[in-house]
Amino acid sequence: MSSFFGPEQGHYALAFACVLALTQCILPLWGAWRGQRFLLDLAPRLAFAQLLALAYSFLSLIACAVQDDFSVQNVAANSALSKPLLYKITGVWGNHEGSVLLWALILALCGGAVALLGRGLPLILKARVLAILGGVSTGFQLFCLLTSNPFARIWPAPADGQGMNPLLQDPGLAFHPPVLYTGYVGFAVPFAFAVAALIEGRVDAAWGRWVRPWAVAAWCFLTCGIAMGSWWSYYVLGWGGYWFWDPVENASLIPWLTGTALVHSAIVVEKRDALRIWTVLLAIASFSFSLSGTFLVRSGILNSVHAFANDPARGVFILGLLALVIGGSLLLFAWRAPGLAPGGIFAPVSREGGLVLNNILLCALCAVVVTGTMYPPFMQILTGRTLSVGKPFFDATTIPLALPLMVAMALGTMLPWKRGNLRPLLRRLRVAALVALMALIAGCFLLDGILPILCAAAALWVIMASLTDLAARLGLRDGLSVVRQRLPRLPRAVWGSAIAHIGVGVTVLGITGMSQARHAVVEIGIGQTIHQGALDWRLVSVRRETGANYKALVADLTVSRHGRVIATLHPSRRDFTSQHQVTTDVAIRTNLLRDLYAALGESRGSGADARYVLRLHNNPLAPWIWLGGVIMAFGGALSLADRRHRFGAPRKARDRSAHAPIVQESRS
Amino acid sequence: MTISTRRRLLMTLPVAGAGLAGFGCWRMLSAMQDGSFDPHAIRRDKGDALIPDFALPGLSGPDDGFDAAALSQNAKPVLVNFFASWCIPCVAEMAALREIARQIPLWGIAYKDKPEDARRFITRDGSPYERVALDRSGMTAIDWGVSGVPESFLIVPGGRIAWHGASALDETLFRREILPLANATP
C-alpha cells in the first residue's frame, strides 16, 4: 500500500489536479465564448477528473499519517507514534497544510456535485459555473503547492513525531473542520452561479431556483459547523462560555449572516423575480466573506486564541488570491449588474417586503460584526493606537438588531406575496402574541436584566408564530379530517422553513437561559461542600489515572439538591507530558433543561491538605443553544428535499418559470 | 437601454469597499513583515508615552501600594502586570510570571478584584510580584489603556512605557520582545 499511496504520488496528484482545474477553468469559458459544444461538454468530465486526482492526493496524505511516515514534515510536526488511530486520520486536517488540502478537496467535491446533479441546467450556464469553480480551485491548489505543501519531506527523518495539540485531540473537533469547511466552500457554488449569470447578463426566476438549493446546503453545513465549534469551546476550553466573539468565531458568523440573507432573498428571485441584483451581490459576498475569514485568520492579522501558525508570506499569497477572486467578481458586478433589468414591484407590507426587511437586518448585523472584528487592526494601522472590541460591544449592538429580526421573522412567513395587510395577520397571531406577553411578564419576575427578558419573549413569539402558521396551513381548526388530507400535501419547504424558524427560537431561548447561569470558581479540599442556590456540590475524592499519552487527575464530585444526590461528576485535568500541555476535561451532566458543568483547575498542596480549584456552573437551557442549531440545519435539509428540487419542472415550464406554479400559495 | 450614472456608481460601491479593505490588509501584511505592526502587541509606543498619574493602595498593606512617582523613580526597568483572580488566562500566566520575575522586577495591579480573593490568588503558589497594588474600581486601568486582563507594560526609568502587550505572557514572548527592550535601557 505504501508504494501506491506515497507522499510523492500524493504531491504529483495534487499538481495534476491543479493542471486539470486550470483546464476546467479555461476550456469551457472559451467554449461558451466561441459556441463550441464539445468544449462545454468537457467541463463536467474535467470536474470529475480533478476530484479523483485530489481525492487520491488526500488519501495519500492520510496514508502517510496512518503509517507514521515521519519523513513527511507535516506528519512529523503533528503526529506521534502514541497517537490513537482516529486522531492520526483526523489530525491530517488539524494543521494548516492539511486543512488547505481539505479545502481544495471539498471545493472539488462541490464541482463534482454540480457536474452530477446539475443535469437539468442549461449547457452554457453549467459549463460557466464549473469553469469558475475550476478557477477558484486552481488558486487554492497553487496556494497549497507553492506555500503550504503538505508532502514536503525532511531529512533525517525523526524517530517519533512531535505530537498533536492535545486540545484538538477530541472527537467533536475531529469532525468539526470538514463540516465547517463544507459550509464555507459550499458558498463557492452560489458564487459561481452569480458570476456565470453576470457573464451571461441574465438573472431570472430559473436562476433563483437553481442557486437556492446550493445556498441552502452550504448554509446547513455552516450552521452545523458553527454549532459544533461553539459546543467544542463550551466543553473543551473549560471556561464555561459558548461564544467568545473571538475573531475566528466571527469569521464563521459573518458568512453565515450573509448566507442566511442569501437563502431568503433567493426565494424572492425564485418566486417573484425581484431582488435579482441584490441576490447576486449576496452570493458574491457570502463566498467572499468565507474566503476573507480564512485569510485573516491564517495570515495572523486577527488576534485569536485559535491561532494557526501565522505566516505573513502566506498571507500575501492569499491576499493576491482574494484580490483576484473577490476583486474580479465585484468588478464584473460593477460592469454588468447595472445592465440587469430591475425585477417585479411589490408593496412594503408583503412577503417580499418581509424578506427585504430580513435582508436589511441581517446585513446590518453582519456589518456590526465585521466592524467589531476589523476595527482594532484597522485603527492600529491608521492611527497607531488601538483598543480592543469585545463582548460588551457585540452584546450591545447585536441584540437590538436581532430582536426586530425575530419579530419580523414570525410575520414574514405568514404574509402573502405582492401585497398584504397586517391587521388580519396580527389577529391570526394573537395566541403567539399572548404567549410572548406572558413570557415578558413572567420574565420580569424570573430573569435578571432587560435584554434576557426581551429575548425570551421574542424567542417564544417566533416559536409560537411558526407553530400557528403550520397549524393554519394544515387546517387544524377545520377538524382532523382536513388535517389528514392536507398533511401529506404540505410542501416540505413549508415544514423546513417553520422548523428552521423554531430552531432560531430554541437557540435564543438557550442563550437567554445561559445568561442566567450561576457559576463559581472555588478552592476547596476533599470532603468540603459548596452551596449554590438549591444545589450542594461536594468534592468526594481526587484520584490519579494514566491514559495512552497523558496522566490525569480526576475529581469525584457529587451534586445534591435538598440532601438527595442528583448527579456525580468526574472533571479531570490531563497532563500531556510529551507536549508539556495540560487540558481540562470538563464534566457535564445534562437533563436537557440545565447543564451541571464542572471543570477542575490547579491543585495546591498534597495529601490530606490538598486543595483544588473548581469551576462550577449551573447553566439553565444550555443544550438548547446547539439543539437549536441542529434544528435549523434540519429545517434547511428538509426544504432541500422539497418536491420541486427532486423532480425538475418540465423544461417548458422552467423557461417561463416567472409564472411557475407556486406551491406554497395553495393554502389561500 | 441607457443606464443612469447613479446606478453605475452604486454598483461600483462593493468593489470600491473591497478594494479599500484589501489595501488596508496589504498594508498590515507588509508592516507585519518589516516588524512595524504586530497585532498581538496592542500598543508599541514610539517612546513618548508616559505612565498616567495614579496612586493605588497596597493589596496587603500600605508599603505594598505604589503611585506614578514610585514607578518612575526606579533605576531599572519594571514590568507592570494587571491581573485578577477571576481571570482564567491570569491563572495560566502565573507559572510564566514566576519565571519572569527572576529576571526583571515585576509589579502587579489587581484589577476589579476583592482584596481577599486577590490575596488568596497570588499567594497560592508563591507570589511573583515585588509589590501589588489594588485597583478596585478599575479607573486606573482605564487611564493606562487596559482593555482586559491580563495586560502587561514595560516601564523604563523616567516613567516611559516601552512596551504594552494584551495577552498572557510566556517565556518566549518575554525573551523575544520585552527583554531586549529592558536590556537596551541604560
Side-chain angles (χ1 to χ4, degrees):
Chain A
M1 189 169 127
S2 60
S3 60
F4 191 66
F5 285 117
E8 272 68 39
Q9 285 94 320
H11 195 185
Y12 175 76
L14 178 59
F16 187 56
C18 186
V19 174
L20 284 174
L22 190 63
T23 327
Q24 183 191 333
C25 174
I26 293 169
L27 290 187
L29 280 183
W30 179 267
W33 187 39
R34 289 288 178 177
Q36 280 168 333
R37 199 188 154 110
F38 78 99
L39 288 180
L40 299 183
D41 286 333
L42 218 51
R45 284 167 211 172
L46 283 168
F48 288 133
Q50 186 213 341
L51 173 59
L52 272 181
L54 261 187
Y56 177 82
S57 174
F58 193 69
L59 281 178
S60 302
L61 188 58
I62 291 181
C64 295
V66 170
Q67 293 163 359
D68 297 318
D69 185 348
F70 295 123
S71 70
V72 177
Q73 191 189 355
N74 188 39
V75 178
N78 299 295
S79 192
L81 287 172
S82 64
K83 197 159 85 166
L85 179 67
L86 173 73
Y87 297 120
K88 279 182 184 165
I89 297 173
T90 63
V92 165
W93 54 77
N95 55 77
H96 169 75
E97 288 83 2
S99 66
V100 174
L101 191 60
L102 180 68
W103 240 89
L105 177 66
I106 295 173
L107 193 52
L109 272 172
C110 289
V114 172
L116 190 70
L117 303 173
R119 293 226 174 85
L121 293 176
L123 197 60
I124 292 194
L125 180 70
K126 183 175 171 183
R128 283 199 176 118
V129 167
L130 286 173
I132 290 146
L133 286 174
V136 179
S137 282
T138 313
F140 270 89
Q141 287 164 27
L142 275 179
F143 175 57
C144 198
L145 281 168
L146 298 179
T147 68
S148 12
N149 177 12
F151 298 104
R153 296 266 205 177
I154 40 166
W155 192 260
D160 195 359
Q162 294 165 10
M164 183 195 208
N165 184 346
L167 269 180
L168 306 181
Q169 214 154 321
D170 173 85
L173 197 69
F175 298 101
H176 170 233
V179 174
L180 189 67
Y181 292 171
T182 310
Y184 281 148
V185 178
F187 280 113
V189 181
F191 168 83
F193 268 95
V195 174
L198 284 174
I199 295 177
E200 204 169 303
R202 203 176 62 144
V203 179
D204 53 16
W207 181 86
R209 168 182 296 237
W210 292 319
V211 83
R212 214 171 88 80
W214 296 103
V216 172
W219 179 88
C220 290
F221 277 104
L222 193 55
T223 309
C224 279
I226 295 174
M228 281 166 92
S230 152
W231 189 51
W232 174 76
S233 60
Y234 177 69
Y235 84 89
V236 168
L237 290 182
W239 297 346
Y242 58 95
W243 191 265
F244 297 95
W245 295 107
D246 180 83
V248 172
E249 294 171 333
N250 293 350
S252 64
L253 185 65
I254 292 165
W256 186 84
L257 290 169
T258 53
T260 312
L262 170 66
V263 165
H264 288 92
S265 75
I267 305 177
V268 184
V269 179
E270 184 186 344
K271 306 278 191 198
R272 299 287 315 149
D273 207 10
L275 294 189
R276 299 168 187 165
I277 297 175
W278 175 242
T279 306
V280 165
L281 184 61
L282 277 180
I284 295 178
S286 299
F287 187 55
S288 302
F289 279 128
S290 300
L291 281 183
S292 338
T294 320
F295 155 71
L296 290 169
V297 173
R298 301 292 168 97
S299 65
I301 285 184
L302 289 179
N303 201 346
S304 159
V305 290
H306 305 250
F308 272 88
N310 301 321
D311 183 351
R314 272 181 196 149
V316 174
F317 192 104
I318 315 186
L319 192 62
L321 195 63
L322 287 187
L324 215 63
V325 174
I326 302 176
S329 58
L330 286 178
L331 266 180
L332 189 68
F333 178 83
W335 177 38
R336 302 288 291 208
L340 294 175
I345 46 170
F346 47 84
V349 179
S350 62
R351 178 84 68 93
E352 294 98 316
L355 289 166
V356 168
L357 182 63
N358 141 306
N359 269 236
I360 291 172
L361 289 170
L362 279 170
C363 290
L365 264 174
C366 177
V368 160
V369 179
V370 170
T371 309
T373 313
M374 291 313 296
Y375 192 71
F378 270 93
M379 275 325 271
Q380 190 178 354
I381 196 85
L382 282 175
T383 64
R385 292 206 48 151
T386 55
L387 71 172
S388 87
V389 175
K391 192 171 154 47
F393 167 81
F394 288 108
D395 282 351
T397 49
T398 53
I399 296 176
L401 284 168
L403 286 173
L405 183 64
M406 286 196 283
V407 172
M409 199 163 114
L411 301 174
T413 52
M414 299 179 79
L415 277 168
W417 294 103
K418 259 178 124 174
R419 191 184 303 118
N421 196 343
L422 269 184
R423 193 166 300 166
L425 178 66
L426 289 176
R427 200 173 311 134
R428 274 166 56 200
L429 280 172
R430 57 180 183 269
V431 178
L434 198 66
V435 170
L437 194 68
M438 275 157 51
L440 207 60
I441 295 168
C444 291
F445 292 103
L446 295 173
L447 303 176
D448 280 340
I450 182 82
L451 284 177
I453 298 171
L454 290 175
C455 283
L460 282 169
W461 160 253
V462 168
I463 294 174
M464 286 312 294
S466 300
L467 292 175
T468 312
D469 190 27
L470 272 184
R473 281 170 197 264
L474 285 171
L476 207 61
R477 193 176 286 182
D478 305 330
L480 272 180
S481 60
V482 180
V483 175
R484 209 169 297 136
Q485 205 181 358
R486 287 195 188 170
L487 194 61
R489 287 209 216 134
L490 197 64
R492 291 198 190 163
V494 171
W495 284 107
S497 78
I499 288 174
H501 284 188
I502 290 174
V504 174
V506 170
T507 293
V508 173
L509 278 181
I511 293 172
T512 311
M514 263 306 251
S515 71
Q516 308 295 316
R518 289 165 158 276
H519 56 91
V521 181
V522 295
E523 187 187 291
I524 53 175
I526 289 168
Q528 278 185 294
T529 303
I530 295 291
H531 306 284
Q532 189 182 64
L535 297 180
D536 292 331
W537 302 74
R538 188 175 135 86
L539 181 62
V540 178
S541 62
V542 176
R543 57 208 150 78
R544 285 176 196 286
E545 274 180 10
T546 312
N549 49 357
Y550 60 85
K551 279 187 237 150
L553 200 62
V554 186
D556 300 308
L557 275 168
T558 58
V559 189
S560 44
R561 175 183 287 144
H562 308 306
R564 197 169 58 86
V565 174
I566 54 172
T568 314
L569 295 170
H570 308 283
S572 67
R573 268 170 85 74
R574 292 183 176 177
D575 187 356
F576 290 79
T577 30
S578 67
Q579 286 104 343
H580 309 287
Q581 187 159 359
V582 178
T583 66
T584 50
D585 225 31
V586 176
I588 299 171
R589 175 64 55 88
T590 182
N591 65 0
L592 291 182
L593 289 176
R594 57 113 187 83
D595 274 5
L596 297 173
Y597 177 111
L600 180 62
E602 295 196 332
S603 57
R604 184 166 66 86
S606 57
D609 310 326
R611 298 178 72 79
Y612 301 89
V613 178
L614 285 166
R615 173 176 272 276
L616 308 171
H617 287 242
N618 181 4
N619 296 335
L621 298 188
W624 290 29
I625 297 174
W626 308 288
L627 186 70
V630 173
I631 295 176
M632 278 185 244
F634 176 71
L638 204 60
S639 84
L640 273 182
D642 192 70
R643 202 183 146 74
R644 70 179 194 282
H645 299 309
R646 276 178 297 152
F647 311 100
R651 189 128 213 138
K652 237 162 107 195
R654 204 184 291 140
D655 290 342
R656 47 181 174 79
S657 48
H659 314 286
I662 295 163
V663 201
Q664 281 177 316
E665 290 316 291
S666 58
R667 177 175 46 85
S668 56
Chain B
M1 190 173 73
T2 55
I3 299 152
S4 71
T5 321
R6 203 171 135 246
R7 196 168 158 82
R8 282 210 177 279
L9 281 178
L10 197 66
M11 303 290 171
T12 49
L13 276 183
V15 71
L20 276 178
F23 178 69
C25 290
W26 176 73
R27 283 285 311 278
M28 284 175 212
L29 279 177
S30 37
M32 267 163 88
Q33 270 164 324
D34 68 28
S36 61
F37 173 77
D38 179 7
H40 294 260
I42 63 166
R43 190 166 70 205
R44 192 182 296 179
D45 292 303
K46 308 275 184 301
D48 49 356
L50 293 174
I51 52 170
D53 194 26
F54 72 99
L56 288 174
L59 183 62
S60 317
D63 300 342
D64 217 16
F66 52 89
D67 55 16
L71 202 53
S72 346
Q73 281 157 12
N74 275 303
K76 283 187 162 182
V78 175
L79 197 59
V80 174
N81 174 256
F82 282 80
F83 70 96
S85 66
W86 42 263
C87 139
I88 301 295
C90 301
V91 180
E93 188 187 38
M94 264 305 171
L97 285 185
R98 273 191 287 277
E99 282 303 309
I100 290 169
R102 290 193 194 133
Q103 302 168 53
I104 191 168
L106 183 66
W107 291 14
I109 297 180
Y111 169 73
K112 286 194 182 172
D113 215 346
K114 288 185 197 138
E116 58 273 21
D117 287 352
R119 262 197 300 275
R120 198 157 357 124
F121 175 73
I122 58 170
T123 50
R124 195 155 67 213
D125 295 305
S127 167
Y129 302 107
E130 218 168 67
R131 301 169 81 161
V132 188
L134 178 65
D135 178 20
R136 198 152 181 191
S137 63
M139 296 308 280
T140 302
I142 291 178
D143 293 340
W144 279 71
V146 168
S147 55
V149 273
E151 277 193 25
S152 307
F153 297 79
L154 180 70
I155 313 298
V156 292
R160 198 163 55 75
I161 300 175
W163 184 88
H164 173 191
S167 58
L169 291 179
D170 56 36
E171 280 281 306
T172 347
L173 183 69
F174 175 72
R175 279 214 202 93
R176 197 182 64 218
E177 303 221 336
I178 304 173
L179 208 53
L181 285 172
N183 289 339
T185 315

